[in-house]
Amino acid sequence: MQAAQNNAQSDLPGDAGTISPVGVSAVNPKILEKLTRLDIHTEMDLALHLPIRYEDETRVCPIGHAPHGRVVQVEGVIVDNEVVLKPRRQLVCRIKDKSGSLCMRLLNFYGSQVKSYAPGKRVRLLGEIRHGFFGAEMVHPKCRVVRGNESLPAALTPIYTVTAGLAQKTLGKLIHQILISSRHNSLLAETVPEKITHRYQLPVLKDSILTLHYPSSEIPIELLQSRSHPAWQRVKFDELLAQQLSMRLHYRQRRSRTAPQLHQKRSAQSLHNRFMQQLDFDLTIAQKKVVSEISRDLASKHPMQRLLQGDVGSGKTIVAAIAALQAIENAYQAAIMAPTEILAEQHYRKLSSWFEPLGIQVAWLSGSQKKKDRQLIQAAIESGEAMLSVGTHALFQEQVCFHRLGLTVIDEQHRFGVQQRLALRMKGMRQQSDCVPHQLMMSATPIPRTLSMSYFADLDVSIIDELPPGRSPVMTKLLADSRREDVIARIQQACQRGKQVYWVCPLIEESEALQLQTAMSTYEYLNRTFSDFNVGLVHGRLPAQEKAAVMAEFKQGDIQLLVATTVIEVGVDVPNASLMVIENAERMGLSQLHQLRGRVGRGADASVCILLFQSPLSVVARERLKIIFKHTDGFEIARQDLRLRGPGEFLGARQSGIPMLRFADLELDGALLTAAQSAADEMLDNYPELVQPHIQRWLGNKTEYLRV
Ligand code: ADP
Ligand code: MG
């Protein structure tokens, strides 16, 4: 770490061309193919293929004083070697030094090894010493024959992830070559200004990479294994910085476009004020805060790109409505999209009940509409007569043309796949002006802070962190499936008291047909059991119109018990429903369970959510059920979920296109992430020429998704 900091300005790795692919220096094609399997395509990839752990072969311990139960290296002369047949075939060698002796046992061995480990040979063994029947022994240690007075290595031995057909040694050699030549080329030149590395006390990149491949024996091995050594810090920082840079860069590019300026109007006669007066509740403090963040964005002449996060039931719809009004008040249209028809329909009802008294026409785009009706509605959108449109995203992607679209709202955005979401961004709709609409995305999946800072760095984030008053928390019960009878009795009671109930059928991922069949038979069974009550059924395959009709009946209280597949997961709002039964809860993910449970507890009544599970439970399923039982706060559940599954799985659809982190750990490296975040903005402002080289080095072509 002693070398002087390179001059960042003049010694760039430059364009992708200089990051030459591996292979120019005559790497055998078979090895190249193996490297590809390890996702190594360039020399830089090789240099960044950092060890997963280290072995300490830099010192030798006298056999007689070697501690037991720990990996150590010993050196001695083979005094005896024998192939033993009982209890099973094995090669046993006795090795001696001045302080004592031990046995090496090899259970799998080649004939050639019997020869190379002949008596008189001097060997070094690396392994754990244990006490066997015949005294100290090492089973299958790493064993090397020592030639002459070969000296001990000065650096710890790096151990790399390898793949079948590519040995440690081969890979190690390749990496070594690359690193040697990097002394004379710009492969590892700095891409981070010295001012920044200095501020965070980070070592030079080239030294860091060299240290991590060949750490000196002075460095405590724990610092390396735990990845807390400064050299690791530097690598992680650079990786986080690359991620921040690529996302902030795209954020800025999108942001540089023009959007209609939608001014805030708050006069007595403004739509905003008339709307607020007709509401029968006040906004929570958290809602007010996010409303003002959004409102400020809308008034800017650049497109808003904001993600609104709020737990289920936190009241995001009204926030969207207020944003839509701000557009409409400025004579711009707004569009609200939902991932399912049920949810879109519900939004349509709610928003038209709010907006029509104000004289605003709301258009409803539905998949089950007659062609003629649809044409009329599209005409109303195109002429600007209908100022608000509601529908599923699919309906918007078709031939809908807006008169003057100022704002799009995407509800439950986490439900959309990454591709869809990107298509929705900015160019999802045709309209007659060059302006880009503002965009508000809403999500009920709370995301832990560091994850959000990292993977949503290309968005501004607003958070609603409180629920409207007067909600009573939902009590969760875990019951084995064998206690179905008790559950039936409970439903009976609830319905008699005028309450409504959801029964959620198991999710069967392998087969939609099977899932449907299960839902049907559950429905029939419950319909027979509760002859005094109306039982309804809603599932994904129901035509949209029927779905809507069933939901409407449930909402009006004509249906007491609603049997549903997980289609009700998102957004459904029926305050009188206070009991939910979820079958085979062990098959569902945490966020799904949390979302489902959020359908009850929306009224003033104490609500109950019964999770039925089938034994035996897997370890992870048990853990999940424990978490959902213990916690009601969505952020806490998300945090636990992240811990259980790791960021890749946790982010679901988004992960498929996003560069995942190889070295940094969001839970442990929060401080580095904060540093990388501000460094990214500083680099974009003051060192723009370093941005591309840095991104290219760390992410290569893994940033395509952002260019959509
Ligand atoms: P989500 O954030 O899950 O989309 P909704 O917007 O569906 O939540 O709101 C849930 C319920 O809470 C709705 O019935 C809504 O009218 C009601 N609500 C929203 N904000 C408030 C508030 N400030 N006070 C009381 N009720 C509210
Ligand atoms: Mg909602």
Side-chain angles (χ1 to χ4, degrees):
M1 242 134 294
Q2 68 291 35
Q5 176 100 24
N6 288 322
N7 181 336
Q9 262 64 254
S10 65
D11 198 13
L12 288 181
D15 56 354
T18 43
I19 304 178
S20 52
V22 199
V24 280
S25 49
V27 177
N28 153 352
K30 268 197 190 139
I31 291 182
L32 266 186
E33 189 258 321
K34 301 281 185 308
L35 290 176
T36 313
R37 248 192 260 169
L38 290 172
D39 210 12
I40 297 175
H41 311 278
T42 62
E43 295 191 346
M44 193 63 207
D45 291 343
L46 259 182
L48 288 180
H49 193 71
L50 296 171
I52 38 162
R53 61 185 179 84
Y54 301 90
E55 282 173 355
D56 188 354
E57 293 173 293
T58 62
R59 53 197 120 216
V60 162
C61 198
I63 294 176
H65 311 301
H68 289 202
R70 240 182 55 199
V71 176
V72 288
Q73 178 168 253
V74 298
E75 179 174 327
V77 176
I78 298 179
V79 289
D80 188 18
N81 117 350
E82 184 184 8
V83 175
V84 186
L85 294 175
K86 277 183 183 167
R88 56 181 280 200
R89 204 174 112 85
Q90 52 186 287
L91 174 62
V92 180
C93 304
R94 178 152 293 278
I95 290 134
K96 230 180 131 170
D97 71 2
K98 281 188 200 129
S99 68
S101 76
L102 60 72
C103 255
M104 166 170 80
R105 284 173 193 278
L106 301 179
L107 298 169
N108 300 302
F109 60 95
Y110 303 107
S112 62
Q113 282 176 312
V114 183
K115 259 193 221 132
S116 30
Y117 301 152
K121 290 274 174 73
R122 172 168 285 277
V123 287
R124 280 184 197 148
L125 308 182
L126 184 81
E128 212 176 286
I129 298 192
R130 278 188 292 195
H131 256 300
F133 189 66
F134 300 105
E137 62 176 29
M138 272 192 190
V139 180
H140 270 277
K142 182 171 170 186
C143 176
R144 275 191 340 107
V145 176
V146 189
R147 286 178 198 85
N149 49 2
E150 204 179 306
S151 60
L152 288 165
L156 299 174
T157 313
I159 305 295
Y160 299 105
T161 308
V162 288
T163 178
L166 182 67
Q168 280 293 337
K169 222 171 163 180
T170 320
L171 185 57
K173 256 191 208 154
L174 277 173
I175 292 174
H176 191 76
Q177 275 170 15
I178 298 295
L179 294 179
I180 294 273
S181 52
S182 80
R183 294 208 180 125
H184 314 292
N185 64 27
S186 59
L187 185 71
L188 297 180
E190 283 295 330
T191 45
V192 182
E194 192 178 349
K195 200 172 156 209
I196 291 175
T197 49
H198 185 79
R199 183 183 315 137
Y200 301 112
Q201 299 177 349
L202 295 165
V204 174
L205 182 74
K206 196 183 273 190
D207 299 341
S208 303
I209 302 264
L210 284 174
T211 301
L212 293 177
H213 283 291
Y214 311 112
S216 111
S217 57
E218 252 98 90
I219 301 178
I221 201 161
E222 300 78 36
L223 275 188
L224 295 165
Q225 312 275 41
S226 65
R227 303 195 163 189
S228 49
H229 187 272
W232 270 121
Q233 298 285 308
R234 174 64 207 260
V235 165
K236 293 181 192 184
F237 175 83
D238 275 30
E239 180 184 41
L240 289 167
L241 178 62
Q243 196 196 38
Q244 291 291 318
L245 280 174
S246 83
M247 298 187 95
R248 295 307 292 171
L249 183 66
H250 287 88
Y251 172 85
R252 287 183 181 211
Q253 282 168 356
R254 290 196 305 261
R255 181 90 183 152
S256 67
R257 305 173 69 176
T258 9
Q261 266 186 288
L262 308 172
H263 301 285
Q264 218 184 75
K265 300 190 177 158
R266 296 284 191 268
S267 69
Q269 272 318 295
S270 66
L271 283 174
H272 178 90
N273 269 25
R274 282 160 56 205
F275 175 69
M276 296 309 283
Q277 267 155 24
Q278 91 186 16
L279 276 186
D280 49 13
F281 54 78
D282 290 326
L283 296 186
T284 60
I285 292 170
Q287 281 172 320
K288 284 185 185 149
K289 188 188 76 199
V290 303
V291 162
S292 79
E293 285 165 355
I294 293 167
S295 176
R296 205 185 46 223
D297 278 6
L298 292 175
S300 134
K301 58 177 187 291
H302 299 293
M304 167 170 80
Q305 309 163 60
R306 193 168 277 279
L307 174 67
L308 173 59
Q309 285 184 28
D311 211 342
V312 266
S314 61
K316 295 183 290 294
T317 317
I318 187 131
V319 174
I322 294 170
L325 275 183
Q326 189 164 332
I328 296 166
E329 194 127 51
N330 284 274
Y332 275 88
Q333 290 166 298
I336 298 187
M337 287 175 269
T340 66
E341 289 233 353
I342 287 189
L343 190 54
E345 160 99 28
Q346 182 177 293
H347 280 334
Y348 171 65
R349 283 175 197 279
K350 186 146 227 170
L351 288 157
S352 34
S353 79
W354 280 338
F355 282 17
E356 270 162 12
L358 302 173
I360 300 167
Q361 190 182 328
V362 183
W364 163 235
L365 288 166
S366 148
S368 49
Q369 251 154 3
K370 290 202 195 81
K371 199 167 171 208
K372 225 171 161 188
D373 292 341
R374 197 168 154 79
Q375 278 167 347
L376 280 177
I377 289 166
Q378 287 185 354
I381 295 173
E382 191 153 352
S383 70
E385 225 178 303
M387 290 303 276
L388 178 69
S389 326
V390 183
T392 63
H393 72 285
L395 298 166
F396 280 101
Q397 278 170 336
E398 287 167 25
Q399 296 305 310
V400 181
C401 187
F402 287 84
H403 176 60
R404 279 208 324 170
L405 183 63
L407 169 69
T408 62
V409 179
I410 303 172
D411 195 14
E412 309 288 347
Q413 65 94 39
H414 60 285
R415 296 284 307 228
F416 294 106
V418 83
Q419 293 309 329
Q420 283 172 313
R421 193 151 55 213
L422 292 167
L424 289 172
R425 278 202 188 167
M426 303 305 170
K427 61 174 190 187
M429 298 172 191
R430 296 194 301 138
Q431 65 166 329
Q432 296 159 348
S433 83
D434 300 332
C435 270
V436 176
H438 295 279
Q439 195 168 59
L440 177 64
M441 283 159 270
M442 307 204 286
S443 169
T445 303
I447 291 157
R449 198 184 71 94
T450 48
L451 201 61
S452 168
M453 264 171 76
S454 174
Y455 290 100
F456 292 99
D458 58 337
L459 296 171
D460 294 310
V461 179
S462 289
I463 296 174
I464 305 185
D465 54 7
E466 67 179 321
L467 293 181
R471 301 271 168 88
S472 42
V474 181
M475 184 199 282
T476 303
K477 289 178 185 282
L478 289 175
L479 290 184
D481 202 48
S482 52
R483 292 184 53 193
R484 228 160 231 270
E485 290 305 309
D486 300 353
V487 176
I488 299 290
R490 233 191 144 111
I491 295 177
Q492 185 89 32
Q493 275 171 15
C495 289
Q496 270 162 358
R497 282 191 291 114
K499 296 292 147 202
Q500 288 170 282
V501 182
Y502 291 104
W503 182 293
V504 182
C505 296
L507 171 76
I508 302 171
E509 271 175 348
E510 314 83 68
S511 154
E512 203 193 341
L514 200 58
Q515 176 159 339
L516 191 59
Q517 198 189 326
T518 315
M520 297 281 210
S521 53
T522 309
Y523 167 70
E524 276 157 25
Y525 163 72
L526 292 171
N527 205 13
R528 257 182 283 122
T529 314
F530 297 108
S531 45
D532 313 349
F533 305 120
N534 281 335
V535 183
L537 171 65
V538 58
H539 55 77
R541 273 305 169 87
L542 219 54
Q545 235 166 349
E546 283 179 47
K547 242 190 255 176
V550 176
M551 290 313 293
E553 278 183 73
F554 187 57
K555 194 147 196 175
Q556 283 151 25
D558 297 338
I559 288 175
Q560 281 84 45
L561 172 59
L562 182 65
V563 180
T565 54
T566 47
V567 293
I568 61 152
E569 182 189 336
V570 283
V572 178
D573 186 30
V574 180
N576 191 45
S578 60
L579 176 60
M580 173 176 282
V581 179
I582 303 178
E583 267 192 282
N584 286 103
E586 79 280 0
R587 290 193 197 162
M588 291 183 196
L590 273 174
S591 92
Q592 195 170 30
L593 286 171
H594 178 64
Q595 295 269 325
L596 282 170
R597 184 172 59 180
R599 302 302 122 218
V600 289
R602 300 199 149 211
D605 267 347
S607 296
V608 176
C609 179
I610 299 175
L611 304 177
L612 284 175
F613 64 86
Q614 204 108 48
S615 307
L617 288 174
S618 73
V619 177
V620 178
R622 177 180 300 272
E623 185 83 355
R624 272 203 303 259
L625 291 178
K626 249 198 226 158
I627 293 169
I628 201 79
F629 175 74
K630 233 169 96 184
H631 299 282
T632 52
D633 173 31
F635 275 94
E636 184 53 32
I637 291 170
R639 231 177 51 74
Q640 303 275 351
D641 200 11
L642 177 63
R643 185 177 57 77
L644 268 188
R645 292 194 293 167
E649 291 240 335
F650 179 86
L651 289 166
R654 196 172 166 104
Q655 66 155 345
S656 57
I658 221 153
M660 296 307 284
L661 297 166
R662 276 182 290 170
F663 305 115
D665 176 327
L666 291 176
E667 204 157 339
L668 300 175
D669 300 320
L672 279 178
L673 177 59
T674 312
Q677 192 180 40
S678 59
D681 279 322
E682 186 176 343
M683 268 173 77
L684 285 164
D685 289 337
N686 303 334
Y687 306 90
E689 71 285 1
L690 294 174
V691 170
Q692 276 310 335
H694 189 83
I695 294 176
Q696 180 66 30
R697 165 181 284 172
W698 289 89
L699 304 176
N701 49 16
K702 292 172 190 123
T703 60
E704 252 126 45
Y705 84 103
L706 284 165
R707 299 202 188 98
V708 178

